[in-house]
Amino acid sequence: MKNILVLCTGNSCRSQIAEGYLKHYTGDKAKIYSAGIETHGVNPRAIKVMAEDHIDISKHTSNNVNEYLDIPFDFVITVCDNANEACPYFPRNVERFHFNFPDPAKAKGTEEEIMEEFRRVREMIKVYAAEFVQKQIV
């Protein structure tokens, strides 16, 4: 079984969404973790937008990357440039992947406009997660 860490700045939106999709796509072939360089709590809009796609992340917690330094990760996926630059060293043969997804928490406008940005980013992450699993998880 593979261990996969998704790392973001605050472990609030992008990494939580990616964790949800990676769990969905890998089933029992991988153990998925998400963490942040900081912890900001799981964004309620991220929970809502994932529920729209029938994935429940309401029980997810916001965790600091330092909590996971002893886990033998096979893959670390950073989902923002800040996390990529601040990612700690993992003392194993870890394959690192990076994609700088837009931060939906920074969206401005009406509630519907903000939710549209969450949906747009969710779809980007969904495609990325599906392709990652297809290529990396046998």
Side-chain angles (χ1 to χ4, degrees):
M1 180 177 298
K2 302 286 186 184
N3 287 320
I4 303 171
L5 174 65
V6 184
L7 187 62
C8 196
T9 300
N11 196 216
S12 169
C13 297
R14 295 165 286 187
S15 53
Q16 295 289 345
I17 291 169
E19 177 186 356
Y21 282 122
L22 287 168
K23 283 181 176 177
H24 175 74
Y25 291 133
T26 60
D28 61 358
K29 294 179 183 161
K31 183 146 177 152
I32 313 299
Y33 302 81
S34 70
I37 304 303
E38 307 161 4
T39 54
H40 297 165
V42 182
N43 188 301
R45 290 181 179 120
I47 294 169
K48 181 178 179 180
V49 80
M50 289 299 283
E52 290 176 359
D53 202 23
H54 311 289
I55 295 180
D56 182 7
I57 64 168
S58 65
K59 303 278 191 291
H60 285 197
T61 57
S62 186
N63 299 86
N64 188 285
V65 66
N66 293 328
E67 297 174 43
Y68 298 137
L69 294 179
D70 293 333
I71 294 174
F73 289 108
D74 299 286
F75 304 106
V76 173
I77 304 168
T78 51
V79 293
C80 68
D81 286 343
N82 182 52
N84 188 44
E85 293 166 14
C87 185
Y89 170 75
F90 289 92
R92 298 182 75 93
N93 189 21
V94 174
E95 283 190 71
R96 285 185 53 174
F97 295 83
H98 174 66
F99 193 98
N100 186 41
F101 292 101
D103 186 355
K106 292 184 177 175
K108 304 277 188 233
T110 66
E111 182 62 22
E112 186 54 33
E113 291 167 335
I114 293 169
M115 286 304 296
E116 277 306 310
E117 179 64 2
F118 269 83
R119 289 181 191 105
R120 185 179 79 83
V121 173
R122 176 195 67 198
E123 292 305 308
M124 293 171 70
I125 294 171
K126 181 179 184 176
V127 168
Y128 181 90
E131 290 175 357
F132 179 86
V133 170
Q134 194 173 46
K135 291 175 185 172
Q136 302 299 328
I137 308 299
V138 179

